[in-house]
């Protein structure tokens, strides 16, 4: 893989984490406090739990795994929380974590992309770790969007620009 392509991968990865964070912020801004922590059953996660989980995953895989900082994750606590953290605090934690991760991603050199790491018991390259995090973040962002639509009955408008006749020829990012 050439240097320009590696840089494109790294920049795009950080950009996608920021984009998904913005979408989660929109969702949290629309939900009442009780909706942020609503669960349909014991085997379901509330939106608040998913945000805590994303913070833990990004920190463990990127900040710690790729960035070399201490791994302080307490994964079970991400899912056992039942409230007590406001939407504003969840947003702040997520933003701070993603910005820290983006700085780590931007600092990755082309030479490090194939370096092997062991994260959460998995042997992965730096590139695989970054790809895992973006994919994982995307999946849970989709869950948060779906939950927000169910809880509010609202179209979030993320693709409203595609409703115009001119947009039918445009590509969706």
């Amino acid at each position: 893989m050439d240097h320009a392509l590696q840089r494109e991968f790294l920049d795009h990865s950080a950009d996608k984490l920021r984009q998904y964070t913005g979408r989660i912020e929109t969702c949290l801004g629309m939900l009442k406090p009780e909706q942020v922590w609503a669960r349909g059953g014991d085997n379901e996660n509330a939106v608040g739990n998913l945000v805590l989980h994303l913070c833990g995953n990004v920190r463990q895989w990127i900040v710690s795994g790729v960035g070399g900082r201490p791994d302080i994750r307490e994964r079970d606590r991400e899912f056992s929380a039942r409230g007590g953290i406001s939407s504003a605090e969840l947003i702040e934690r997520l933003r701070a974590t993603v910005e820290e991760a983006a700085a780590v991603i931007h600092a990755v050199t082309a030479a490090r992309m194939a370096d092997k790491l062991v994260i959460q018991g998995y042997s992965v390259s730096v590139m695989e770790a970054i790809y895992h995090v973006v994919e994982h973040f995307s999946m849970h962002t989709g869950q948060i969007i779906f939950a927000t639509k169910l809880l509010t009955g609202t179209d979030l408008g993320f693709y409203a620009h595609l409703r115009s006749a001119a947009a039918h020829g445009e590509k969706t990012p």
Side-chain angles (χ1 to χ4, degrees):
M1 185 182 299
D2 71 25
H3 178 73
L5 186 57
Q6 290 170 338
R7 191 79 260 148
E8 177 72 20
F9 170 79
L10 295 168
D11 291 346
H12 184 71
S13 296
D15 290 346
K16 291 307 281 186
L17 291 175
R18 288 181 177 121
Q19 178 189 39
Y20 298 143
T21 297
R23 291 189 177 165
I24 292 170
E25 288 178 26
T26 297
C27 291
L28 286 169
M30 297 177 72
L31 296 172
K32 297 174 186 167
E34 63 273 10
Q35 292 174 315
V36 172
W37 295 101
R39 294 169 172 252
D42 289 338
N43 292 323
E44 295 180 14
N45 290 308
V47 168
N49 296 109
L50 293 173
V51 173
L52 294 174
H53 176 60
L54 287 172
C55 290
N57 177 267
V58 170
R59 183 164 299 288
Q60 183 177 42
W61 281 75
I62 302 295
V63 176
S64 176
V66 176
R69 295 189 185 99
D71 182 1
I72 57 170
R73 186 176 188 188
E74 295 179 51
R75 191 174 188 277
D76 291 344
R77 292 185 72 191
E78 299 161 16
F79 299 107
S80 64
R82 295 294 187 266
I85 305 170
S86 70
S87 290
E89 175 64 21
L90 289 169
I91 289 169
E92 180 57 34
R93 287 185 193 188
L94 187 63
R95 273 188 201 159
T97 302
V98 167
E99 286 308 314
E100 193 173 358
V104 169
I105 291 168
H106 285 303
V108 170
T109 62
R112 280 203 63 215
M113 293 288 282
D115 286 357
K116 287 295 186 182
L117 310 166
V118 176
I119 305 171
Q120 210 176 35
Y122 298 99
S123 177
V124 296
S125 68
V126 169
M127 185 176 77
E128 289 171 316
I130 294 168
Y131 186 80
H132 161 78
V133 167
V134 174
E135 177 271 335
H136 182 256
F137 208 102
S138 173
M139 177 186 66
H140 287 310
T141 299
Q143 290 176 316
I144 291 167
I145 289 169
F146 184 73
T148 301
K149 287 179 177 184
L150 283 177
L151 291 166
T152 66
T154 304
D155 176 8
L156 305 179
F158 294 135
Y159 296 99
H161 64 283
L162 296 178
R163 292 190 188 115
S164 71
H168 291 288
E170 295 177 11
K171 292 182 182 178
T172 302

